[in-house]
Amino acid sequence: MEKTILEKVKEAEAMFSDYEITGNELARVQKLREKLENQKVTVSVIGQFKRGKSALVNGILEDEVLPVGIVPVTAVVTTVEYGPKSASVHFNNGVVKEVAFEEISAYVNEQENQDNRLNVTKVAIKTPSQFLESGLTFVDTPGVGSMHENNTEEAYAFVKESDAVIFTLSVDSPINQIEIDFLKNAKEYAAKFYFAVNKIDAIAEDDLQSYLDYCRKFISELMEVDEIMMFPVSAKMNIGIDDLKNTILEDLKAESSRILEESTKLKLHDIVISALSQITFYRNALQMTGVEFDKKFAEIQSFFGQLHDETAMLPAALKANAAVCEAHSNDVKNRLTAKVKELFGIDYHYEIERVSDNSLKKDQQDDIVAQVDEICDSLNKTLNTVFMHREENTYVVARRINNLNRLVRKLVQMRDEK
Ligand SMILES: Nc1nc2c(ncn2[C@@H]2O[C@H](COP(=O)(O)OP(=O)(O)OP(=O)(O)O)[C@@H](O)[C@H]2O)c(=O)[nH]1
Ligand SMILES: [Mg+2]
């Protein structure tokens, strides 16, 4: 009998937990399992900047929770779930701050939080909207394609977490290459697509019909399906919103398990591909000649020394500045990631923990040096664990390579399964 997707996810989880090098994939697959077990569906609104995504989210929620504007606005992912009204801002140093609804814009809005200089990872809102009652997570994302590249990156990253998407187009512009590329990418991760054609209040009925015909034909071909679900709407004038909203709710009621399974399958495929590349590089590193390997290991050790010296030589005024230290330790992590990639071909994943705004006091000036040393130490330990088996006898190494070969075969099989 064919395995269920949950069984496949668990199988991958067991495989990845056997190897230090697939820690990243393990974390991703665990998240997938939890979502599947809790039947938690994520519906996100995605599209090019200024198509009216945030206005549409407000329309669907029947509440003006999100900022909307003529200039690029959304700079941060905003998740919305059912509950008594509340909002919390999650920063990438791990701090979570409760804020009032009126303050949301200060964190989400590109014009106020430029290039996300506040380092917000997401804003999580709760509100008692009927649309959210079934327990879904509704998400407004930054738009792709504006000059604010950070927003495009955020949007691309969040698509990977979406199960269903409302792809938002607008009648004031024919579908363009930026949207095509984004849609093609979204197709690799999300299982269900709703196409909202927004701003229909802005054009005449005849023009609207031609626009809809054109879009329907073009997108069906792109999505390789006979029919797409398209909803002409006006978020501004509240036209067509109920139809879109009710269709999504009915679909989720009828087939949320199928949507989740389908989207999990797509996401698992992506994770398996990334695990395969990690394992392949790892195997290559294990098979390196002793001389080559020792050279690389020595190079990374000297890089650790270089980072230590650079940090120690920072002027005292900079060491006392929390923001500078935060930036410096992140810089160190990014440079180490690049170095590991360059030397061993492996993606080394850092949990970016940042110094919180007020934890670095003036009297702890030298902490940044200790911090950098700690970052290097922990990478050194991991590398030692990862490559420990090289130090053992050839029989052990050969057996490990054999195991890796078997794992690669299993992963390839998983990747190629439909
Ligand atoms: N005429 C008309 N304008 C709309 C409609 N929906 C949104 N707008 C306007 O379009 C502009 C962009 O709306 P937003 O909701 O901020 O668009 P967005 O896609 O979230 O933009 P980013 O967050 O920057 O990606 C605003 O000026 C809105 O008032 C609509 O249905 N009709
Ligand atoms: Mg927006």
Side-chain angles (χ1 to χ4, degrees):
M1 213 176 76
E2 228 223 296
K3 284 189 206 115
T4 65
I5 184 69
L6 182 60
E7 283 166 344
K8 286 183 189 172
V9 167
K10 285 182 174 169
E11 193 185 345
E13 197 176 336
M15 272 190 236
F16 300 153
S17 60
D18 281 346
Y19 297 88
E20 305 82 8
I21 209 65
T22 44
N24 212 350
E25 287 74 18
L26 178 63
R28 285 176 70 192
V29 100
Q30 277 167 339
K31 235 164 126 186
L32 269 191
R33 177 177 48 76
E34 280 159 25
K35 245 178 86 175
L36 208 51
E37 285 173 343
N38 301 329
Q39 290 284 298
K40 207 122 182 75
V41 183
T42 300
V43 180
S44 32
V45 180
I46 65 170
Q48 196 176 335
F49 68 106
K50 298 282 58 83
R51 295 315 192 216
K53 298 178 294 301
S54 302
L56 190 59
V57 170
N58 288 342
I60 290 175
L61 295 174
E62 298 173 77
D63 198 353
E64 299 298 309
V65 285
L66 298 174
V68 165
I70 195 78
V71 289
V73 165
T74 310
V76 167
V77 164
T78 312
T79 64
V80 197
E81 290 186 349
Y82 191 80
K85 276 198 169 191
S86 74
S88 53
V89 181
H90 296 236
F91 296 89
N92 62 0
N93 62 0
V95 174
V96 178
K97 182 177 160 192
E98 295 290 320
V99 300
F101 259 55
E102 303 72 55
E103 291 177 85
I104 291 173
S105 181
Y107 300 95
V108 166
N109 194 337
E110 176 65 53
Q111 306 309 312
E112 296 175 67
N113 176 14
Q114 271 173 16
D115 295 324
N116 192 15
R117 62 177 168 206
L118 298 175
N119 286 320
V120 176
T121 48
K122 70 168 180 180
V123 172
I125 294 178
K126 287 206 168 133
T127 191
S129 157
Q130 180 230 346
F131 182 68
L132 306 167
E133 247 173 334
S134 66
L136 64 94
T137 305
F138 194 36
V139 186
D140 184 30
T141 62
V144 297
S146 76
M147 61 185 246
H148 305 284
E149 284 170 19
N150 188 45
N151 295 352
T152 300
E153 281 165 26
E154 287 293 313
Y156 265 89
F158 200 81
V159 158
K160 292 190 176 195
E161 303 197 24
S162 311
D163 303 304
V165 302
I166 303 176
F167 197 93
T168 311
L169 298 156
S170 137
V171 292
D172 51 10
S173 155
I175 188 159
N176 61 38
Q177 196 58 44
I178 290 168
E179 290 170 310
I180 293 169
D181 292 342
F182 190 41
L183 184 54
K184 277 187 183 159
N185 182 267
K187 199 167 152 250
E188 303 295 315
Y189 301 97
K192 190 99 186 170
F193 286 81
Y194 302 91
F195 292 91
V197 176
N198 193 26
K199 309 196 188 182
I200 60 166
D201 57 283
I203 56 167
E205 182 65 30
D206 284 357
D207 285 343
L208 175 62
Q209 215 42 59
S210 336
Y211 186 92
L212 293 177
D213 291 344
Y214 150 83
C215 268
R216 193 182 290 284
K217 185 168 175 298
F218 187 81
I219 297 172
S220 308
E221 278 170 22
L222 202 74
M223 299 295 287
E224 300 167 291
V225 290
D226 296 333
E227 261 309 313
I228 56 162
M229 285 193 282
M230 205 160 77
F231 299 83
V233 297
S234 164
K236 194 175 185 175
M237 311 298 280
N238 192 18
I239 306 168
I241 305 289
D242 275 349
D243 189 17
L244 170 62
K245 188 165 104 180
N246 293 332
T247 307
I248 296 174
L249 288 181
E250 277 162 29
D251 284 353
L252 288 184
K253 211 166 169 184
E255 49 167 4
S256 70
S257 301
R258 193 201 62 77
I259 294 172
L260 259 178
E261 282 172 19
E262 189 59 38
S263 122
T264 306
K265 214 190 252 176
L266 292 167
K267 292 169 179 55
L268 183 62
H269 183 77
D270 187 59
I271 298 172
V272 164
I273 287 176
S274 116
L276 258 176
S277 94
Q278 283 287 93
I279 296 287
T280 313
F281 281 116
Y282 177 31
R283 191 179 51 183
N284 292 348
L286 277 177
Q287 286 171 320
M288 261 178 218
T289 63
V291 178
E292 196 184 348
F293 184 81
D294 291 346
K295 208 174 125 220
K296 287 176 194 252
F297 222 78
E299 194 171 334
I300 200 139
Q301 301 297 328
S302 101
F303 193 58
F304 292 157
Q306 187 188 326
L307 291 172
H308 172 97
D309 294 347
E310 265 181 36
T311 311
M313 281 186 314
L314 284 176
L318 293 186
K319 282 188 199 159
N321 182 317
V324 172
C325 289
E326 199 175 291
H328 182 75
S329 84
N330 272 334
D331 187 44
V332 164
K333 286 178 179 176
N334 289 335
R335 285 166 68 190
L336 281 172
T337 303
K339 197 77 186 168
V340 175
K341 181 96 188 164
E342 173 201 320
L343 290 175
F344 302 102
I346 294 165
D347 283 318
Y348 186 72
H349 175 71
Y350 269 111
E351 290 292 336
I352 301 276
E353 295 167 46
R354 294 197 176 179
V355 194
S356 78
D357 277 352
N358 43 20
S359 73
L360 197 75
K361 308 234 168 58
K362 274 195 180 293
D363 57 350
Q364 293 175 309
Q365 294 190 1
D366 278 324
D367 261 7
I368 185 65
V369 181
Q371 219 179 304
V372 165
D373 286 347
E374 212 173 283
I375 294 168
C376 293
D377 271 359
S378 97
L379 172 60
N380 201 21
K381 262 192 211 122
T382 310
L383 285 176
N384 273 314
T385 322
V386 168
F387 296 115
M388 179 174 69
H389 302 273
R390 289 184 54 88
E391 300 302 315
E392 302 182 43
N393 61 43
T394 29
Y395 171 70
V396 177
V397 174
R399 206 175 52 190
R400 187 147 177 104
I401 289 174
N402 241 337
N403 285 343
L404 284 172
N405 285 338
R406 218 178 6 246
L407 177 63
V408 167
R409 274 198 299 277
K410 262 165 111 180
L411 286 171
V412 166
Q413 197 185 350
M414 259 182 131
R415 181 196 63 192
D416 297 342
E417 267 171 20
K418 271 290 144 229

